[in-house]
Amino acid sequence: MRSDLPTGTVTFLFTDVEGSTRLLHELSAESYAAALAEHRRVIREACTAEGGVEVDTQGDAFFFAFPTAPGALAAASAFTESLVSGPISVRVGLHTGTPLLTEEGYVGADVHRAARIAACGHGGQVLVSASTAPLVELELRDLGEHRLKDLSAPERIYQLGDGDFAALKSLYRTNLPVPATPFLGRERELSEVVELLAADGARLLTLTGPGGTGKTRLALQAAGLASDAYPDGVWWIPLAPLRDPALVLATAGQTLGSKNGLAQHIADKQMLCLFDNFEQVVKAAPELAALVSGCPNLDVLVTSRERLQLTGEQEYPVPTLVHEEGVGFFLSRARAVRPDFDADEAVSEICARLDDLPLALELAAARVKAMSPAKMLERLDERLPLLTGGARDAPERQRTLRATIEWSYDLLLDEEKRLFARLSVFRGGCTLEAAEEVCHAELDTLQSLIDKSLLRFSNERFWMLETIREFAAERLEESGRGELVRDRHLDHFLALAERAHDELARAPDWFRVLDVEHDNIRAALDWAAASRVESEGELMSAVAMYWLLRGHTREAHERLAGALSRYRHRDRTRASLLTSLAKVDGIEQAEALSYAEEALDLWRELGDASGEAEALETLGWLHDEFGNYEAARLAHEQSLDVRRENGMPEIDGWLAMAGLCHLFVSSGEIASAESMASDLRELGARHEVRRAEALALHFLADCPLVAGDYPEAERRYIRALEYGRASGLPTRCVHELLGVAMSLSGQGDVARATRLAASAYAKGEALGLSHDHWWTKMQEWFIGGARAQLAPAEVEAAEHEGREADFEAVLDEVLSAESEPDA
């Protein structure tokens, strides 16, 4: 990267010799070469004197960059005056912007704009853009707005001096519409589309995407930028009003003024034709392919909600806006209708909820005159009714988001419409297997919906933008098949959750499966609560362990309590709900104990020994948490006795064993704790129950902490942390990080101990964790003691750093420390 080039706000200056070919013929080659050399000397001296840096020179054209606009204008004035009496006359263009400086030089639209401003002038004329004019003190002549060759929006241009020149050579041989609003964002996409247009062999480029993504706007801007490569013009052929494919080429012929047939009119002309909104006349694609084949210098740019499926076609899927661009787009549109509009935290959430879809953002922004962002956010649960209106001069199909999506829906075949509606039952997308089972989907139809931009596929999942899914859900209700499809959806995710419940203790990969399907499980629960209460209870019981281990404690409490209030049958489902509710962190002691005791009574009433043992161990952990150690020990021992008396596998009692380990540690019985924790670790490893191993490692770390061997405790807590993280157990990571912090406090590293503890507390709060009586006392001793050794400002700084740090980065830091191999 050149270090001499100015950065930040830069004023570009381009020059070009007018009539160079004519001059070469009028003057001898020797005279022209001398005049050209003198012209170069004059320009370089004038620009260098005003701080300009020569970026590039090609033939008789110069490109300079200036750190200030006044310097650039002074240089232009100086060298044009010096050259006025000579044979060479240059046209000059100035434009100010904030370009990106890379290893290759300046990048961005500002460079092109400065060059095009110079290109539309005449010899001896200095043209200045609207962004440069306010930065200079010299009086400039306003030449009005002009369309430049590389821009679809008009640019106001000014002239230095009062000289009279011919009309500017603005964009010509085009019918590209002038957008009513500026082009915002999309710099990456714009660059990629222009690059594809310029690529060898890419003569048919199709921009695809769902309605409202801004395909037309991007295509128009790219066509304008690429216009220099098409001396015979850039032409826009709007197809939205058409329904008859036979009219496509006829419409193009009328647009281009063809009299003897479109192919004969174009012949070998170098031109670009933009066919806009091709999806409803897609059967005309073969005729378009024949036109491209018969006209060797014709390039075609197409916008369509589905690809044309032609040989040689290059597809470019237009994404929704990057979130930051979406926020900027919303603010621009909102301030167009309400200039004093101020953004708040709701704006970002609005944009995210609307998928950063340009049309949706534009329609929502129009509402700011009558609705605050917070109120708008409340109403976004039903997007389509909110997003109506828009500009009166917008196409009818773009005045509401519903009409935009309906435009695509109406073009679907019947089987595509049925599948489109059924897929709305999934929240957060689905796998191919789920789509086949729940919606009776066929792969070809799924592919067709993807091709038509109503469905997307990534990371092995099919999914819809939420705005489109809402429309599809309405179609599902209208079909009269909604209940049937939702029942299949519920059955599918009930089976998935029940399998996960059986596998979670052994296979942590199931955590990631449930993470991905969490929104679908919520949707299934919502449907079950309204229609199949028994299935709700079954699904709730199956997913409760995942919620508790993954830290979804608030949701677990609300949903379990709600299901219990609806489910009155005294059977295993109710007993499971009671048992799961008793395990939720953070609920009051009396409430938790009442759930566990009612569950125990019900399990005994049902004669279910396994449920009775689970309820007893749950009671044991609750009594332990609240400091009732004798009651806790009795409950855990009874749980193990029930399992032994009923011939259950030893591994089934691992959680009661862990409870006894904890009691041994908290009472200072280190030898008993070490022995039982070692047995628990061996048992868990033998049966591949990772949670048992994780707890065993934790208690093995507690032992040296209680005994005062703090370096050994730190080493063991780090080992437990590594295992808990690898097993996908975030709640265990919080506990082990606190153990590391307490070990550090014991070793005198009080600032780091305070910082790590603050990070653990922040994560624990986010997960809804609570701490048992003994563990809380240990933190008061070690972490409280660490704080006491620091000055108040040091405590504040350490805790602030810990709370603000990324939790995963903190874990990386701790785990990067060297530890001794396992004993």
Side-chain angles (χ1 to χ4, degrees):
M1 184 183 297
R2 286 178 54 180
S3 59
D4 60 334
L5 293 177
T7 59
T9 300
V10 179
T11 297
F12 293 131
L13 181 151
F14 277 84
T15 73
D16 189 23
V17 173
E18 183 176 55
S20 56
T21 303
R22 174 182 55 79
L23 281 173
L24 183 58
H25 285 90
E26 290 179 356
L27 303 174
S28 65
E30 186 176 315
S31 297
Y32 179 71
L36 196 61
E38 175 63 11
H39 135 272
R40 289 173 176 163
R41 183 191 66 79
V42 169
I43 290 178
R44 283 185 169 128
E45 286 185 359
C47 290
T48 302
E50 296 294 341
V53 178
E54 186 175 331
V55 180
D56 192 18
T57 180
Q58 294 183 3
D60 50 19
F62 277 104
F63 173 18
F64 275 85
F66 289 79
T68 69
L73 193 62
S77 176
F79 67 67
T80 51
E81 288 182 13
S82 297
L83 295 172
V84 70
S85 59
I88 289 183
S89 181
V90 297
R91 46 180 169 247
V92 185
L94 283 78
H95 172 68
T96 303
T98 54
L100 175 67
L101 182 59
T102 70
E103 295 290 342
E104 304 300 321
Y106 291 111
V107 174
D110 291 316
V111 177
H112 299 287
R113 189 167 302 191
R116 295 303 169 255
I117 289 173
C120 70
H122 301 276
Q125 188 175 29
V126 177
L127 301 177
V128 178
S129 76
S131 64
T132 304
L135 304 178
V136 299
E137 296 180 356
L138 293 176
E139 186 174 346
L140 301 174
R141 181 178 178 181
D142 187 350
L143 301 182
E145 289 189 336
H146 293 264
R147 299 190 64 202
L148 306 179
K149 290 183 181 180
D150 63 347
L151 300 174
S152 55
E155 168 81 21
R156 184 166 290 277
I157 296 179
Y158 298 84
Q159 176 188 296
L160 176 64
D162 295 326
D164 291 324
F165 298 89
L168 295 186
K169 294 177 286 186
S170 306
L171 187 62
Y172 65 108
R173 291 186 182 175
T174 186
N175 68 335
L176 291 179
V178 179
T181 57
F183 186 80
L184 300 173
R186 296 252 191 237
E187 291 296 332
R188 178 181 62 82
E189 292 91 338
L190 185 60
S191 174
E192 289 172 350
V193 171
V194 171
E195 186 176 335
L196 285 171
L197 283 172
D200 291 338
R203 296 183 54 212
L204 173 57
L205 174 62
T206 303
L207 307 190
T208 61
T213 49
K215 300 183 296 296
T216 295
R217 191 70 176 86
L218 176 61
L220 289 171
Q221 194 75 8
L225 282 174
S227 63
D228 257 10
Y230 302 101
D232 294 303
V234 175
W235 305 96
W236 176 57
I237 300 108
L239 304 177
L242 303 185
R243 290 296 181 273
D244 185 353
L247 297 177
V248 171
L249 295 192
T251 300
Q254 292 169 2
T255 301
L256 271 63
S258 166
K259 294 182 175 60
N260 301 314
L262 183 59
Q264 290 81 357
H265 175 79
I266 295 174
D268 61 354
K269 294 185 178 72
Q270 289 181 269
M271 66 170 59
L272 173 68
C273 286
L274 166 53
F275 289 85
D276 194 20
N277 292 112
F278 212 100
E279 58 272 355
Q280 81 281 357
V281 287
V282 73
K283 290 183 179 179
E287 287 75 17
L288 182 63
L291 179 69
V292 173
S293 178
C295 302
N297 296 318
L298 169 68
D299 286 349
V300 170
L301 178 60
V302 173
T303 71
S304 175
R305 299 186 191 186
E306 60 177 299
R307 64 190 302 269
L308 306 188
Q309 299 186 17
L310 295 174
T311 302
E313 177 185 17
Q314 171 68 55
E315 182 182 7
Y316 183 87
V318 177
T320 57
L321 292 170
V322 174
H323 183 62
E324 293 74 15
E325 291 182 345
V327 172
F329 184 90
F330 181 93
L331 292 176
S332 172
R333 297 297 185 259
R335 287 166 181 161
V337 298
R338 185 179 151 194
D340 63 344
F341 178 77
D342 285 328
D344 59 24
E345 62 276 5
V347 169
S348 178
E349 179 65 16
I350 288 169
C351 296
R353 294 275 293 276
L354 293 175
D355 304 308
D356 291 303
L357 193 67
L359 178 58
L361 297 180
E362 186 152 7
L363 293 171
R367 293 290 191 184
V368 301
K369 292 181 72 174
M371 188 181 298
S372 70
K375 181 62 67 175
M376 193 182 302
L377 197 54
E378 289 177 12
R379 297 201 172 194
L380 278 181
D381 285 336
E382 295 183 359
R383 297 168 179 79
L384 299 181
L386 174 68
L387 303 178
T388 62
R392 289 191 179 91
D393 58 350
E396 182 63 35
R397 69 187 188 282
Q398 293 184 1
R399 293 185 192 172
T400 73
L401 190 59
R402 183 188 305 279
T404 302
I405 301 170
E406 197 161 21
W407 173 268
S408 293
Y409 177 76
D410 288 342
L411 300 173
L412 299 179
L413 301 175
D414 287 344
E415 62 267 26
E416 294 170 340
K417 289 180 177 179
R418 284 192 293 271
L419 180 55
F420 172 69
R422 291 173 183 176
L423 289 169
S424 69
V425 77
F426 294 104
R427 285 188 201 165
C430 65
T431 62
L432 174 60
E433 293 74 19
E436 290 173 333
E437 181 176 331
V438 175
C439 302
H440 297 166
E442 294 184 357
L443 186 57
D444 286 347
T445 313
L446 288 167
Q447 181 63 54
S448 182
L449 289 174
I450 293 171
D451 289 341
K452 291 175 169 63
S453 301
L454 288 172
L455 186 67
R456 298 190 173 197
F457 181 75
S458 59
N459 300 319
E460 299 302 319
R461 294 179 72 78
F462 298 92
W463 55 279
M464 294 177 178
L465 295 172
E466 278 301 299
T467 45
I468 292 176
R469 193 178 78 86
E470 184 178 321
F471 178 88
E474 292 179 357
R475 304 291 77 73
L476 180 61
E477 290 309 303
E478 291 173 358
S479 74
R481 309 282 287 178
E483 290 189 10
L484 176 63
V485 178
R486 278 188 247 282
D487 278 342
R488 290 202 298 255
H489 179 272
L490 170 56
D491 290 339
H492 176 84
F493 286 101
L494 174 57
L496 180 80
E498 288 177 337
R499 183 181 175 193
H501 179 274
D502 295 338
E503 298 286 346
L504 274 176
R506 294 174 175 82
D509 284 349
W510 276 97
F511 281 110
R512 287 184 281 276
V513 172
L514 293 182
D515 284 344
V516 171
E517 300 295 0
H518 200 179
D519 284 339
N520 273 315
I521 289 170
R522 288 168 170 147
L525 284 169
D526 291 344
W527 173 244
S531 63
R532 289 167 50 184
V533 174
E534 184 172 346
S535 295
E536 179 194 18
E538 293 171 354
L539 179 52
M540 198 79 68
S541 297
V543 79
M545 183 190 299
Y546 161 77
W547 276 337
L548 299 177
L549 295 177
R550 219 54 165 164
H552 300 289
T553 51
R554 182 175 302 170
E555 180 173 9
H557 182 254
E558 291 176 358
R559 284 194 179 268
L560 285 165
L564 190 66
S565 69
R566 289 184 288 273
Y567 196 87
R568 298 295 185 179
H569 304 294
R570 291 187 64 76
D571 58 13
R572 294 186 76 259
T573 297
R574 181 173 176 83
S576 293
L577 290 173
L578 287 163
T579 307
S580 297
L581 256 175
K583 296 177 182 179
V584 176
D585 274 337
I587 60 177
E588 295 297 324
Q589 176 178 355
E591 182 185 2
L593 288 172
S594 70
Y595 290 140
E597 288 164 355
E598 184 182 348
L600 178 59
D601 290 342
L602 185 50
W603 286 120
R604 285 172 172 169
E605 179 184 317
L606 295 168
D608 191 316
S610 178
E612 178 185 356
E614 184 180 358
L616 282 166
E617 73 190 12
T618 302
L619 272 170
W621 281 102
L622 287 173
H623 284 305
D624 188 343
E625 180 180 348
F626 301 130
N628 307 323
Y629 297 132
E630 286 305 316
R633 182 173 300 206
L634 177 61
H636 285 312
E637 290 173 347
Q638 287 178 339
S639 176
L640 292 172
D641 288 342
V642 168
R643 287 192 166 96
R644 277 193 295 268
E645 290 166 2
N646 287 274
M648 298 178 196
E650 184 183 13
I651 187 60
D652 287 0
W654 72 267
L655 196 54
M657 288 178 62
L660 290 174
C661 281
H662 186 263
L663 289 169
F664 288 142
V665 169
S666 59
S667 62
E669 300 175 57
I670 302 303
S672 297
E674 284 264 11
S675 176
M676 181 161 281
S678 297
D679 290 345
L680 179 61
R681 185 185 183 191
E682 186 277 329
L683 182 68
R686 180 154 37 92
H687 291 275
E688 298 182 340
V689 178
R690 297 178 71 89
R691 286 178 58 215
E693 287 188 86
L695 274 176
L697 288 169
H698 174 80
F699 297 133
L700 286 170
D702 285 344
C703 292
L705 182 72
V706 173
D709 187 350
Y710 303 125
E712 176 64 13
E714 179 189 1
R715 187 182 74 82
R716 292 191 185 187
Y717 280 125
I718 288 175
R719 180 178 60 185
L721 174 62
E722 184 174 27
Y723 190 88
R725 192 189 201 189
S727 300
L729 300 170
T731 55
R732 292 263 39 99
C733 293
V734 172
H735 290 302
E736 310 314 343
L737 185 60
L738 282 171
V740 172
M742 289 190 278
S743 303
L744 291 171
S745 174
Q747 296 174 75
D749 193 350
V750 292
R752 187 168 181 234
T754 302
R755 176 171 61 83
L756 294 184
S759 183
Y761 290 143
K763 183 65 173 179
E765 289 168 11
L767 294 174
L769 284 185
S770 62
H771 301 289
D772 64 69
H773 180 77
W774 178 78
W775 195 235
T776 300
K777 289 292 185 184
M778 293 293 285
Q779 292 165 55
E780 290 174 357
W781 175 265
F782 285 100
I783 306 304
R787 291 193 191 102
Q789 297 179 58
L790 296 170
E794 293 174 314
V795 173
E796 182 179 356
E799 291 187 337
H800 176 77
E801 183 179 353
R803 283 187 169 274
E804 295 300 315
D806 177 74
F807 187 69
E808 294 301 320
V810 173
L811 298 189
D812 288 339
E813 171 204 328
V814 172
L815 293 177
S816 67
E818 291 187 9
S819 60
E820 300 173 11
D822 290 355

